């Protein structure tokens, strides 16, 4: 029996009696991060990073939550569990599972570059590595965050000189906070959609975000006069894009922040004026780098381009297989997978 099995409820460690990011309600769930496709409602006990705990509490209500530090070891039966930074969003963690000398690591979602908010990705040695593959094609190659931030800032300045509002589309938990680090260098006149505003308030009120790290944002409300948005920046989740809610900002320009913006066609299909390929996931090189750093003999590839990525690994001499999961619809907002490449399905990403 493998240490971690793929069951209809999710990734299951039989020896330890727990699931990792289960998609059905279970008794014991270990959670990598607070995005809704990884942290689902209904389980009895949740174990997660202490920064993830308050977000789970807000999103999933009262349950039994246990928050741990990165690197702290927890025993379930005779199985050792520890969490390690995944660099994806605040509190996001990889899960290390050890039993009788065998080590498995479940990546959750991860990103290699340190974005200043999410913690720095830490490679963890293991025998078997279960990796995501959201951007597991060679065409996905990210620019440095600093370079993308410069692009965003220049775009905002151009909009300001044209008398336009800059509407930035970024999902509310993760991307929105990240992009505000760039925006605050250009303006203090920043508005946010309710979903983004609520998330930031919650992160501040629970102490997950330290005050002062991010600029103050004003909530967009119906009573605000139209000219208050003039030349400002508005942060909105993907679900708001293209809806009548946007009309009040006219004249405006829309910039989408998502790894999918690396592909020009996606920007066109979304009717965006600008696309910034700012992703909270590893790019192709990042995935390879992460796999290599684990030293794993076996790699199991989940949500994303799992067949392309596992095929490549096999050809490179690393034993790999693809595995079906039910992850992948909150964070990048626009989902393109192998089954629907070339088409955009409905935007999710709101919460
Ligand atoms: Zn995620
Ligand atoms: Zn994911």
């Amino acid at each position: 029996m493998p240490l971690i099995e793929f069951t209809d409820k999710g990734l299951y460690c039989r020896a330890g009696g727990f699931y990792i990011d289960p998609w059905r309600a279970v008794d014991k769930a270990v959670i990598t991060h607070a995005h809704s496709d990884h942290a689902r409602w209904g389980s009895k006990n949740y174990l997660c990073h202490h920064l993830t705990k308050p977000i789970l509490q807000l999103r999933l209500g009262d349950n039994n939550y246990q928050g741990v530090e990165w690197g702290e070891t927890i025993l379930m039966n005779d199985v050792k569990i520890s969490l390690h930074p995944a660099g994806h969003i605040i509190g996001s963690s990889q899960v290390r599972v050890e039993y009788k000398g065998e080590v498995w690591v479940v990546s959750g979602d991860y990103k290699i570059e340190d974005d200043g908010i999410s913690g720095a990705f830490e490679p963890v040695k293991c025998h078997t590595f279960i990796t995501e593959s959201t951007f597991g094609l060679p065409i996905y190659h990210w620019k440095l965050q600093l370079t993308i931030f410069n692009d965003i800032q220049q775009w905002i300045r151009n909009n300001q000189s044209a008398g336009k509002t800059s509407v930035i589309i970024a999902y509310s938990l993760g991307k929105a906070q990240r992009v505000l680090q760039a925006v605050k260098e250009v303006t203090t006149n920043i508005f946010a959609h309710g979903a983004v505003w609520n998330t930031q308030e919650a992160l501040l009120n629970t102490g997950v975000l330290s005050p002062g790290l991010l600029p103050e944002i004003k909530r967009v409300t119906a009573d605000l006069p139209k000219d208050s948005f003039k030349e400002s920046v508005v942060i909105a989740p993907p679900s708001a894009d293209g809806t009548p809610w946007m009309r009040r900002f006219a004249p405006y320009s829309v910039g989408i922040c998502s790894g999918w913006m690396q592909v020009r066609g996606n920007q066109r299909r979304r009717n965006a004026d600008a696309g910034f390929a700012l992703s909270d996931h590893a790019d192709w090189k990042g995935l390879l780098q992460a796999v290599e750093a684990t030293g794993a003999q076996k790699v199991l590839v989940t949500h994303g381009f799992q067949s392309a990525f596992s095929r490549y690994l096999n050809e490179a001499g690393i034993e790999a297989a693809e595995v079906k999961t039910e992850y992948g619809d909150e964070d990048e907002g626009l989902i393109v997978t192998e089954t629907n490449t070339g088409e955009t399905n409905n935007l999710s990403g709101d919460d």
Side-chain angles (χ1 to χ4, degrees), residues 188-200:
T188 51
N189 196 16
I190 309 169
F191 290 89
H193 181 277
V196 172
W197 191 88
N198 285 334
T199 304
Q200 179 149 326

Side-chain angles (χ1 to χ4, degrees), residues 267-339:
Q267 189 181 320
R268 207 170 44 237
R269 270 192 291 276
R270 294 271 305 263
N271 281 321
D273 303 297
F276 304 102
L278 183 72
S279 175
D280 298 332
H281 294 263
D283 63 3
W284 172 258
K285 280 202 176 128
L287 291 169
L288 287 173
Q289 188 189 323
V291 163
E292 218 161 275
T294 63
Q297 295 146 3
K298 188 161 184 192
V299 179
L300 299 171
V301 186
T302 66
H303 60 311
F305 292 103
Q306 65 266 15
S307 120
F309 190 53
S310 58
R311 207 178 320 125
Y312 180 89
L313 291 176
N314 278 314
E315 281 165 20
I318 299 169
E319 191 193 334
E322 54 175 308
V323 183
K324 259 202 149 14
T325 58
E326 293 185 18
Y327 305 132
D329 64 7
E330 171 160 355
D331 50 21
E332 288 288 338
L334 167 77
I335 303 301
V336 179
T337 62
E338 281 164 306
T339 49

Side-chain angles (χ1 to χ4, degrees), residues 197-257:
W197 191 88
N198 285 334
T199 304
Q200 179 149 326
E201 276 295 294
L203 294 175
L204 287 169
N205 292 341
T206 53
V208 172
L209 265 182
S210 38
L213 183 64
L214 297 183
E216 219 174 285
I217 52 178
K218 293 162 275 189
R219 184 182 192 144
V220 175
T221 50
D223 56 313
L224 283 171
K226 208 177 159 316
D227 57 330
S228 42
F229 304 114
K230 199 168 188 281
E231 292 169 31
S232 71
V233 172
V234 178
I235 315 283
S239 62
D241 191 12
T243 66
W245 180 83
M246 306 266 283
R247 282 190 206 134
R248 68 192 84 198
F249 307 123
Y252 63 85
S253 182
V254 177
I256 298 178
C257 292

Side-chain angles (χ1 to χ4, degrees), residues 33 35 37-38 88 108-109 132 134 281 303 327-329 331:
H33 66 291
H35 279 146
D37 53 326
H38 288 261
H88 170 62
D109 291 341
E132 61 131 322
T134 309
H281 294 263
H303 60 311
Y327 305 132
D329 64 7
D331 50 21

